[in-house]
Amino acid sequence: MVDLPPEIWCHIIRYLSLATLQGLYEVNRIFFDLAMDEKYRVITFDRVDNCLMRMLHSLRNVDIARRVRTFSVTPHLFHELEFVEEDEESETSDAGKRWAFSNVLRRMIKHVGSRRQHQTRKREKHSIFSKSSVHVTEALLVIMPLLTNIHEFSMDWDFFNDFPAPYIDVLWPCVSQTLQDLRSCVTTTKLNSMFPLPVAALPRVRNLRITIKCHHSRADELANAQVAVASFVNWIKDSLESLSVRCMPMHDMSLFYENLGHFEHLSSMDLDLSLPAPLPPDKPIRSTLFIQQHGQTVRNLSLLTSLPLTPWSSYQFTFSNLKLSNLRSLTMSAEIMAMSWEHTLAFLKGHAAVLESLEIDGPIAPSELARLLSVLNHRNPACILSKFSVSLYQLDSRLLANFAEDLQRLKVLKLQIGKIACETMFSITPGQFFPGICEDVHPFINELRTYESLAKWDLRDITIQRRSCCGELVLWNLMLFCADHIRAISSFAENGDMDIPDPPNTRPKFDGEYCPDGRVACAYGLDGETW
């Protein structure tokens, strides 16, 4: 066995298939422990089935339970079992009142049925019994105290009634000393009863991601929930490094930001800034004030939106007079840029000497991109931008040449495109194998060959992708062609190499007959032209 630290082996094993992982059990004790650690490293209870019941049984073993590092639970699924059981009991009661003829038929079917069918019904009956709400709750109460090494905990609470989930209360004291990453998507009703938590402290929580689900007719609950969440965030301020806040559907979160204190170690923020209606002109923008309050510590800032900009909506944010002296990475929605181009450009120009990564979520027009590159470019010797991600309506050869001329020192480029354009013909939607190998070369290819600036560009990594039906399609062939002309490229899609996977793109997994895009037949990877 190669003499590597255990941490390296743990990292390697995460890339192995399930079949390979199972083969490690019999190699030696070290590999057995590593394989077991990986098998039970992430446990997710997001559906009620036989796999859940088997996992609940396995986690009763202390040696297995201690290997769990990431735990995710959806309590309302277990609560819904009670309604299923009530419906089954009701159906059973109604069945007794039906015609005697149907009872005779059932007896005939029972006797005529084969032994195999009888065994199948027996197994199904046992399966339904084993998945009763009482049984699941009792099993969870047993295993929760055994989960003593949880580093990441995620909870999705989707009901607006505060039903009992005693296993959650049991879990908090067990993970209080190890928990580092907490994620919760919880309704306002539950939030108001969930805090304060039944523990003295969570001294190691560094990352917090909270999504508040609110009801349009319960405005008072949302206000109370904002105060409750702010109080909890302040409670863990000594260790908190990353904060992400969402509200579904989006509402004014001023009360939340107003009740937050100062966080000495807060370096990352991920905020949804949408508003269903504009704020009054005289009302301070609390989210911006909170960001500015941490101008010395924030290094990674993500400003996204869940609502499009309309005459009836707005965003609770402004770049005006915002100064973040240690900002290294900025991700922002294109709508936020469009809300005030003057303030956005002034902010980017003022932070060119510290900003290393810029990602723009949402497509921007060529004229908008030109304005952006006019203030953020490598003609300014102080500009240190090394990673740029942007979404474009269409990609043409002149645009790539502009990147090479304006961002000569750029190392990583990620492009989300819609179409491929050229000067001599109409735009096309590129297929996943564009440009194909054929005698008739697309004009985009010939035009790209004419720009000498591409050969001198110091770009090291490139990603080009587009939306296809229900997922993202990576255009590996197009990236390979770009690497032939941008000679410094040595990596695709930030993988560290130029290897193309087989298959190059995998259709997203989904349940049911229809794909998430709403189509009867999924068209992922089948659209577009190869040329």
Side-chain angles (χ1 to χ4, degrees):
M1 176 177 166
V2 180
D3 187 16
L4 291 176
E7 296 81 5
I8 302 298
W9 280 116
C10 289
H11 186 73
I12 293 173
I13 282 180
R14 293 183 184 183
Y15 293 91
L16 301 182
S17 65
L18 180 60
T20 305
L21 196 64
Q22 291 174 343
L24 294 179
Y25 293 145
E26 300 178 0
V27 176
N28 56 36
R29 181 65 188 179
I30 296 177
F31 274 152
F32 174 82
D33 280 336
L34 291 172
M36 287 288 286
D37 285 344
E38 179 59 24
K39 180 178 180 180
Y40 294 102
R41 182 175 60 87
V42 178
I43 300 298
T44 302
F45 291 163
D46 60 354
R47 61 178 61 192
V48 180
D49 54 16
N50 289 329
C51 292
L52 168 69
M53 304 312 299
R54 287 194 294 268
M55 184 59 67
L56 287 173
H57 179 74
S58 298
L59 291 177
R60 291 172 181 264
N61 186 320
V62 177
D63 182 64
I64 292 178
R66 68 174 178 83
R67 301 177 188 273
V68 181
R69 296 293 185 271
T70 301
F71 181 60
S72 177
V73 64
T74 307
H76 69 262
L77 291 179
F78 311 135
H79 181 61
E80 287 174 345
L81 275 179
E82 298 180 7
F83 298 103
V84 174
E85 293 159 11
E86 291 175 359
D87 290 341
E88 290 176 351
E89 292 176 0
S90 176
E91 290 176 3
T92 303
S93 177
D94 292 341
K97 301 177 183 178
R98 293 175 183 173
W99 291 344
F101 179 71
S102 62
N103 291 329
V104 174
L105 284 178
R106 277 197 294 273
R107 293 192 192 100
M108 292 175 61
I109 294 172
K110 180 178 180 181
H111 289 292
V112 172
S114 66
R115 180 179 179 84
R116 183 178 180 182
Q117 290 173 329
H118 176 69
Q119 291 175 345
T120 300
R121 287 195 299 270
K122 199 173 180 181
R123 285 195 299 268
E124 290 175 352
K125 182 179 180 181
H126 174 72
S127 176
I128 293 172
F129 172 77
S130 63
K131 289 186 291 187
S132 69
S133 60
V134 174
H135 185 87
V136 171
T137 300
E138 289 177 350
L140 287 170
L141 287 172
V142 171
I143 70 169
M144 289 300 182
L146 306 180
L147 303 176
T148 56
N149 287 321
I150 300 295
H151 294 173
E152 300 178 20
F153 175 56
S154 175
M155 179 175 66
D156 186 358
W157 192 291
D158 205 33
F159 272 27
F160 278 93
N161 57 328
D162 188 15
F163 57 86
Y167 43 86
I168 298 297
D169 294 333
V170 171
L171 179 67
W172 290 119
C174 302
V175 304
S176 61
Q177 298 303 312
T178 60
L179 190 62
Q180 301 175 19
D181 192 324
L182 175 58
R183 303 183 182 190
S184 65
C185 185
V186 186
T187 60
T188 52
T189 306
K190 180 58 182 175
L191 282 172
N192 289 322
S193 64
M194 190 169 92
F195 299 120
L197 297 180
V199 291
L202 295 175
R204 300 184 62 187
V205 173
R206 296 180 301 184
N207 306 312
L208 177 63
R209 183 181 183 91
I210 289 186
T211 301
I212 303 174
K213 294 185 178 181
C214 57
H215 197 278
H216 63 86
S217 64
R218 302 182 179 181
D220 56 331
E221 278 192 359
L222 176 59
N224 294 333
Q226 290 190 51
V227 175
V229 173
S231 177
F232 172 72
V233 177
N234 291 331
W235 185 54
I236 58 174
K237 67 178 182 179
D238 292 338
S239 60
L240 191 63
E241 297 177 6
S242 175
L243 175 64
S244 175
V245 180
R246 297 281 190 276
C247 184
M248 299 173 52
M250 197 59 205
H251 283 74
D252 181 10
M253 295 289 290
S254 297
L255 193 58
F256 167 74
Y257 294 111
E258 183 179 356
N259 282 273
L260 289 178
H262 181 74
F263 302 82
E264 294 183 2
H265 307 291
L266 188 59
S267 59
S268 297
M269 295 186 192
D270 179 10
L271 309 177
D272 187 341
L273 303 171
S274 302
L275 270 180
L279 290 173
D282 58 339
K283 185 175 182 178
I285 304 178
R286 296 293 180 180
S287 58
T288 304
L289 294 177
F290 177 72
I291 296 172
Q292 183 60 74
Q293 184 182 359
H294 298 84
Q296 298 296 321
T297 61
V298 171
R299 297 174 60 88
N300 307 297
L301 182 61
S302 179
L303 307 172
L304 301 179
T305 60
S306 56
L307 294 174
L309 185 61
T310 68
W312 303 277
S313 64
S314 183
Y315 303 125
Q316 46 191 330
F317 176 78
T318 178
F319 276 117
S320 178
N321 301 320
L322 184 62
K323 296 180 180 179
L324 307 175
S325 57
N326 289 303
L327 185 65
R328 296 294 180 268
S329 172
L330 174 62
T331 300
M332 61 177 167
S333 170
E335 285 86 354
I336 291 179
M337 294 178 58
M339 184 175 63
S340 177
W341 268 101
E342 289 72 19
H343 291 155
T344 302
L345 296 178
F347 175 84
L348 292 175
K349 185 176 182 179
H351 292 77
V354 296
L355 191 62
E356 299 174 355
S357 173
L358 175 62
E359 179 176 351
I360 301 173
D361 182 52
I364 62 175
S367 59
E368 295 172 329
L369 181 61
R371 295 183 67 183
L372 181 65
L373 294 179
S374 68
V375 300
L376 199 64
N377 58 70
H378 289 155
R379 291 189 297 274
N380 175 8
C383 180
I384 64 170
L385 187 69
S386 61
K387 180 179 179 179
F388 184 43
S389 176
V390 65
S391 178
L392 306 168
Y393 292 106
Q394 58 185 26
L395 175 67
D396 59 57
S397 56
R398 177 67 256 179
L399 187 58
L400 276 177
N402 288 342
F403 283 139
E405 295 165 5
D406 294 333
L407 300 172
Q408 304 97 327
R409 300 189 296 275
L410 194 69
K411 302 302 180 186
V412 180
L413 177 63
K414 183 177 181 180
L415 299 176
Q416 178 83 19
I417 68 172
K419 294 181 178 294
I420 292 289
C422 60
E423 297 179 356
T424 57
M425 65 175 296
F426 55 84
S427 302
I428 66 166
T429 299
Q432 66 170 318
F433 299 110
F434 176 89
I437 302 175
C438 58
E439 296 181 0
D440 189 12
V441 180
H442 190 274
F444 169 82
I445 306 300
N446 291 327
E447 292 175 10
L448 200 63
R449 292 168 176 162
T450 63
Y451 292 102
E452 298 180 359
S453 58
L454 295 176
K456 303 175 183 178
W457 198 7
D458 198 27
L459 186 70
R460 304 301 174 86
D461 184 284
I462 189 169
T463 304
I464 305 177
Q465 60 187 30
R466 70 170 178 83
R467 186 73 181 177
S468 174
C469 191
C470 56
E472 299 298 331
L473 196 70
V474 181
L475 303 178
W476 297 98
N477 278 19
L478 181 56
M479 290 153 52
L480 191 62
F481 176 79
C482 290
D484 290 338
H485 298 274
I486 307 173
R487 299 167 186 171
I489 291 180
S490 59
S491 172
F492 290 153
E494 298 184 79
N495 288 335
D497 55 50
M498 298 174 64
D499 296 337
I500 298 178
D502 185 20
N505 291 284
T506 304
R507 190 182 72 176
K509 296 181 180 180
F510 55 87
D511 297 327
E513 182 180 356
Y514 300 96
C515 82
D517 195 48
R519 302 171 184 261
V520 175
C522 183
Y524 178 79
L526 302 176
D527 54 347
E529 300 181 39
T530 301
W531 192 259

